[in-house]
Amino acid sequence: MSSEFTALLLGDSITRWVFFPTLAAIPLLFMRRAPTAAIKWYGLVVSLIELFFLVTFALAHWDGAGMVVKDPVFSWIELPGLAIVYEVGIDGISLPLVLLTGLLLPIVLLGSWKGIERHWSGYVLSMLLLTTGILGALVALDLFLFYVFWEVMLIPMYLIIGIWGGERRIYAAVKFFLFTMAGSLLMLIAILWMGWTYGQLAGTWSFRYEDLLLLDLPLAHQTWLFAAFALAFAIKVPMFPFHTWLPDAHVEAPTGGSVILAGILLKLGTYGFLRFALPFFPHAADRLAPWLLVLAVVGIIYGALVAWVQVDLKKLVAYSSIAHLGFVMLGIVACNLVAWQGALLQMVNHGLSTGALFLMVGMLYDRRHTKKFEDFGGLAKVIPWFAIFFVFSALASVGLPALNGFVGEFLILLGSYQAGYRWFTVIATSGVILAAVYLLKMVQETLWGPLTKEENRHLPDLSAREVAALLPLCAFMLWIGVAPKPFLEPSRPALAAVLESYRDRLAGPIADQPTLAISAPGQARVPTFLAASARRESTGPQP
Amino acid sequence: MNPIFAIPAHDVASILPEIILTVAGSILVLLEAFLPGLRRLYHALAIAAVGLAAWAVATLPTGPSFHGLIEATPLTGAFSQVVLLATVLGLLAAPGYLSRERLLAGEYPALILWCSAGMLFLVRGVELLAIFLALELLSIALYGLAAFHRREAFSAEAALKYFLMGAFVSSFVVYGIALVYGETGSTRLDGIATALATGQGSPGLLLLGFLLLICGFAFKLSLVPFHAWAPDVYQGAPSPVVAFLSVAPKVASAVVLVRLVAAIAGSPLGGGWPDLVAALSVLSMLIGNLFALVQRDIKRMLAYSGIAHMGYLIIPLASPGATTWRPVLIYLIAYVLMNTGAFAIVSMLYARPGEQHAISTLSGWGYRFPLLAGCLTVCMVSLAGIPPTAGFLGKYFVFLHAIENGRLDLALFGIAASLVGAAFYLRVVYMLYMKPELAAPERTAIDLHGRLAAIATAGATILLGIWPQPLLDWIVRSLAGL
């Protein structure tokens, strides 16, 4: 295994950019006494190299219409009757989230420049390990591997919240950890059960995504397994009523932690639904769809209403995340191409706009050491550049046409309306109005009005570093809003393939016994991106 | 010469590892008497002896010896190596503590080696009296070790408690042996299995006999409801002793327990046994984890965590068969690494041996002792069963075995218990890194040996989580004959 792995690390492969952050984190173990500035710059350079790897990889493997790349598969754990493979691949569904991760990492480090005061080597170390966990979970095509990466994300995030967070950081960190772990442990059992069932039918255990997709399960089994997966993902999203860890985690986390958490970690929940929970258990998903829809819409309204009454900027943004992710869930459950494209785009949009909002709340906090509305007001006169970026991001988050949020939400609402969920769509649409209410309230109370506080009169405006962190985010918000096509096109083939296989299976009969479908060519059971004909392997050793 | 006392050469050769350990221990005691100036080298010598014993285990010809009292198979070889690994780690953990407490003496490594010899016999014993003698050998050495801090009342108290518990175990086991022998006419496990299969003996007495035997070893493994001694003994005994005592005897006792359960499970008496084991397992997981949650003393917490881990360990025993050995072996290896590592680090960091080892003492020390704290964090993450660590690998194989054998209920219980477990293991991590320092350390006992133990255990824990294949290949080879 080791030689194959090393060859992959050195070659132009997915593995390289998944593990590069971890390898780059090793020197940090010996840099504890290095000057803080050196560590900061080291982290920034590493994150830029990582971004460079990601972008060049994406460009190199772009085939004009989409992107399907897999690293050569090799055996990771092999025992008689049990094989766990190291299998990673990327397609149009994971690509946007992977690129978003790469984009946010340097921005997070820039945004933490002032706010993080202690133990920078540990901070960068945690961020880099977290990045490996995120990227790995996004590309893993073996469920066991996916679970390992999924759990690897936990400890660094726990440390980021707990060490560099606010006053109640330990409470928030432990809560975050236990909530997430509760869900994922049940998912582990579900994964094991599926691997075993596959083993019963095929003779050898397997956790490979494409193998497990062949399982046809009775409705009762599907329902339990779907529930186990859905719980893990719903906690991560978080869907109402599993959301209670989120406000605590966001409020206590340092700025960088909040940005990563909102920007990417939450998306892994929705990604999990799209990639695993729905394709594996179509019948159960279809039966339970009304419940998921109710939770999604309740999340939209509840998140918006609670955000409205917050007196703390960061809490407001945190609750707005619940509402926004409710939209994403609505789109996913609607199960048609328009809604899914909107949901995927909205995942990215939320990462950009909420990431920017968290960054700016952090910037205010760096200057004033408070996040309460009552301490602000009239800031537009003092820090006009900040005000411009703030209003811009807030409007993007609201869903103003010509900015990114509009495109995503519109597609989701259109898709869910087309799917026949009219009333859910209507209620969800009122969530857009509520978003305007609370986000404009946020802008109004901080930026407009009279300048009442003496301390606010001499706040410095954005520094070059802060502009450098915000500008790329805002540029993408505008770009997606004005010309969304280049962002929608790459994911279309992949989403269409998953959707087709989902619909085919849903139309088929429900099995009485667990059975194994035979994957015939032309049968759209395994989404085409996994089918051998469409697969392109990254360079590396051929198995 | 009277033929009765002539021991055939191949029998002598078959106990070479034990001879090496015993002789090395005796030499260390003699060195203590005649060359006390070499004290600093004793532990290195002992480790060398263990290395030699490991080589002897690896080259041992397979087959029974001493008229079938003990046997050597690839399986016993594998478990013997795990015992020896625990011994080496136990030896590495001690010198720093012993020098600080002015206790450095040849008797300590000697007792460890003798104890280790007893465990090797226990792993290899396939006859009840041989098992009993091995159990006594290891227990008596451990009583001495638990009382090793002779100036501390706590240490003596712990030793006394451990001794009383041990006396119970011995009497249970002897009584059980007597009953089983009385009903089956054999003390050999294979003979007993044959007798059981033919329906020989009164079922009631046989059941009682086996129950007593299993209770005895459940005591040794500190399974609920036979666990009450563990927290007190762990708290009072010298920490490096606990690093050894909390793992090595469990490896050896687990082997006997698997053998016993296997012997009875295949017989007509076997009906309710899997459920009995399942009950022990569930109780241990739940009570161990729940009680650990409320502990403020790190040694007591680790004691309860150990109880819980034994609960996970015996999950596979609820569905006995040849496949039981693999998850048990993997879990024990993971447990040896992470638990010894944790106790070794605890024994270095805490100043006053007798007093409470409050977890809060560690507050903020993550930045003062980056290496040890990092290793302790790895051990805690592994104990909590979070990938990529050996602890996760162990849990994975245990749960896999449960699901494979239709014990989904046990897997789900295990999952629920793990969640509770995560909460208290993480408390150590947040004390280390997230709390401001309460007090500067007074008298740490950090030495090269201890650092080596910490790095080795933490490193191996991570390595096994990332790249377990070499270990698994070795395990598959060792268990091939089953």
Side-chain angles (χ1 to χ4, degrees), chain B residues 312-330:
Chain B
Y312 294 115
L313 177 74
I314 63 164
I315 286 180
L317 270 65
S319 17
T323 57
T324 316
W325 290 103
R326 188 169 81 190
V328 168
L329 182 54
I330 296 174

Side-chain angles (χ1 to χ4, degrees), chain A residues 1-2 32-33 75-80 82 84 118-119 144 147-149 151-152 154-155 158-164 169-170 173-174 177-179 181-182 185-186 188-189 192-193 196 200 205 207, chain B residues 326 330 366-368 370 377 381 384-388 392-393 396-397 399-400 403-406 408 411-412 415-416 418-419 422-423 426-427 429-430 433-436 465-469 472-473 476:
Chain A
M1 166 230 170
S2 52
R32 271 188 352 109
R33 293 184 204 288
S75 157
W76 177 26
I77 295 175
E78 201 171 2
L79 286 169
L82 169 73
I84 297 173
R118 300 166 294 145
H119 314 307
F144 185 83
Y147 183 80
V148 169
F149 280 123
E151 292 282 70
V152 163
L154 274 185
I155 297 281
Y158 169 73
L159 293 177
I160 288 171
I161 299 175
I163 298 178
W164 295 278
R169 58 182 189 272
I170 294 178
V174 172
F177 191 96
L178 290 182
F179 263 72
M181 185 128 178
L185 281 172
L186 276 177
L188 173 65
I189 292 293
L192 290 182
W193 197 90
W196 169 71
Q200 295 289 96
W205 289 62
F207 297 102
Chain B
R326 188 169 81 190
I330 296 174
Y367 306 105
R368 190 178 278 276
T377 304
V381 169
I386 298 165
F392 172 68
L393 194 74
Y396 167 73
F397 276 101
F399 291 151
L400 200 114
I403 290 177
E404 218 168 358
N405 290 282
L408 190 63
L412 288 172
I415 287 298
S418 294
L419 188 60
L426 282 181
R427 186 186 297 138
V429 180
Y430 78 60
Y433 293 106
M434 302 177 194
K435 290 269 185 176
I466 296 172
W467 191 31
Q469 193 60 46
L472 295 175
D473 284 341
V476 167

Side-chain angles (χ1 to χ4, degrees), chain A residues 252-495:
Chain A
E252 299 306 326
T255 304
S258 294
V259 174
I260 286 279
L261 188 61
I264 306 158
L265 282 196
L266 307 186
K267 311 310 184 311
L268 281 157
T270 45
Y271 170 82
F273 273 104
L274 205 49
R275 173 74 89 205
F276 300 110
L278 295 185
F280 279 152
F281 319 110
H283 297 104
D286 192 53
R287 298 282 147 93
L288 294 174
W291 296 100
L292 288 174
L293 280 172
V294 168
L295 292 185
V297 171
V298 168
I300 294 174
I301 302 298
Y302 169 87
L305 289 177
V306 179
W308 192 357
V309 298
Q310 294 306 316
V311 293
D312 180 302
L313 276 162
K314 215 172 177 187
K315 264 199 165 151
L316 188 147
V317 182
Y319 277 104
S320 83
S321 287
I322 297 175
H324 281 116
L325 269 297
F327 275 105
V328 178
M329 281 311 298
L330 177 68
I332 289 174
V333 181
C335 279
N336 58 35
L337 193 56
V338 177
W340 276 10
Q341 287 215 286
L344 193 59
L345 187 65
Q346 190 64 2
M347 291 188 215
V348 176
N349 289 341
H350 177 255
L352 296 171
S353 55
T354 307
L357 286 176
F358 272 125
L359 274 175
M360 279 183 278
V361 172
M363 288 167 189
L364 275 185
Y365 187 80
D366 289 347
R367 286 167 170 73
R368 285 279 283 113
H369 293 280
T370 172
K371 292 172 294 197
K372 298 266 184 282
F373 286 126
E374 59 186 24
D375 295 319
F376 300 113
L379 294 186
K381 296 173 198 123
V382 190
I383 41 177
W385 281 107
F386 175 88
I388 292 171
F389 280 107
F390 200 58
V391 171
F392 189 87
S393 308
L395 289 178
S397 190
V398 168
L400 188 78
L403 291 177
N404 60 350
F406 173 75
V407 184
E409 282 176 3
F410 183 76
L411 288 176
I412 290 171
L413 293 173
L414 186 66
S416 72
Y417 195 82
Q418 284 174 354
Y421 301 121
R422 304 227 165 119
W423 284 107
F424 288 116
T425 313
V426 169
I427 302 170
T429 312
S430 69
V432 182
I433 301 166
L434 287 173
V437 171
Y438 63 77
L439 283 165
L440 291 178
K441 172 201 151 190
M442 175 181 82
V443 169
Q444 186 189 348
E445 296 205 356
T446 44
L447 299 182
W448 318 136
L451 189 62
T452 49
K453 292 277 184 294
E454 192 55 37
E455 303 92 313
N456 291 343
R457 278 184 197 287
H458 303 290
L459 292 181
D461 208 342
L462 295 182
S463 65
R465 169 184 63 80
E466 289 167 330
V467 172
L470 291 172
L471 207 52
L473 293 176
C474 291
F476 274 106
M477 287 181 217
L478 188 62
W479 188 2
I480 296 177
V482 178
K485 209 172 168 206
F487 298 90
L488 289 169
E489 286 304 313
S491 58
R492 189 204 292 275
L495 286 173

Side-chain angles (χ1 to χ4, degrees), chain A residues 1-10 15 74-77 86 541, chain B residues 463 466-470 473:
Chain A
M1 166 230 170
S2 52
S3 60
E4 288 126 320
F5 188 74
T6 321
L8 277 181
L9 272 184
L10 296 175
T15 307
F74 61 85
S75 157
W76 177 26
I77 295 175
Y86 174 85
Chain B
L463 189 66
I466 296 172
W467 191 31
Q469 193 60 46
D473 284 341

Side-chain angles (χ1 to χ4, degrees), chain B residues 238-327:
Chain B
S239 303
V241 174
V242 183
F244 180 67
L245 176 146
S246 65
V247 290
K250 303 205 166 162
V251 176
S253 309
V255 175
V256 182
L257 195 65
V258 176
R259 287 190 202 275
L260 285 174
V261 171
I264 194 162
S267 76
L269 289 172
W273 289 92
D275 289 327
L276 180 81
V277 175
L280 287 179
S281 161
V282 167
L283 280 175
S284 304
M285 289 188 290
L286 287 185
I287 293 191
N289 276 320
L290 285 174
F291 278 57
L293 195 56
V294 295
Q295 299 304 319
R296 291 290 172 266
D297 180 309
I298 194 165
K299 283 168 83 181
R300 287 186 80 86
M301 184 203 94
L302 284 172
Y304 280 108
S305 113
I307 293 167
H309 278 282
M310 290 305 111
Y312 294 115
L313 177 74
I314 63 164
I315 286 180
L317 270 65
S319 17
T323 57
T324 316
W325 290 103
R326 188 169 81 190

